[in-house]
Amino acid sequence: MPLHIKASDQAGIQGNAIFDPVGTNEYIKAAFIHDAWQSNIPIPAPYRFLGTDVDFAKTGIII
């Protein structure tokens, strides 16, 4: 996996390269979908206390 970086907007370090979690997550999601994982599966209403959706699932495995 490539290292995802972006330019910082934070005062004092503007323009410096920092880790990009959004780019990293997009890369991971694309890789899982490419390998036939399903994504963003809604959690049934009685279990919404666990969250709104499951990030990834495949053959009985959820992430």
Side-chain angles (χ1 to χ4, degrees):
M1 175 170 62
L3 175 61
H4 290 83
I5 58 174
K6 65 179 182 177
S8 175
D9 289 335
Q10 184 178 342
I13 61 169
Q14 289 178 324
N16 289 344
I18 60 171
F19 177 71
D20 180 10
V22 174
T24 300
N25 288 344
E26 289 173 0
Y27 181 90
I28 292 169
K29 183 175 183 177
F32 271 102
I33 290 171
H34 177 70
D35 288 340
W37 286 76
Q38 296 176 332
S39 68
N40 303 105
I41 302 162
I43 294 176
Y47 303 101
R48 288 277 161 83
F49 64 90
L50 296 171
T52 59
D53 59 31
V54 172
D55 291 335
F56 301 102
K58 180 179 181 180
T59 318
I61 300 168
I62 58 172
I63 298 176

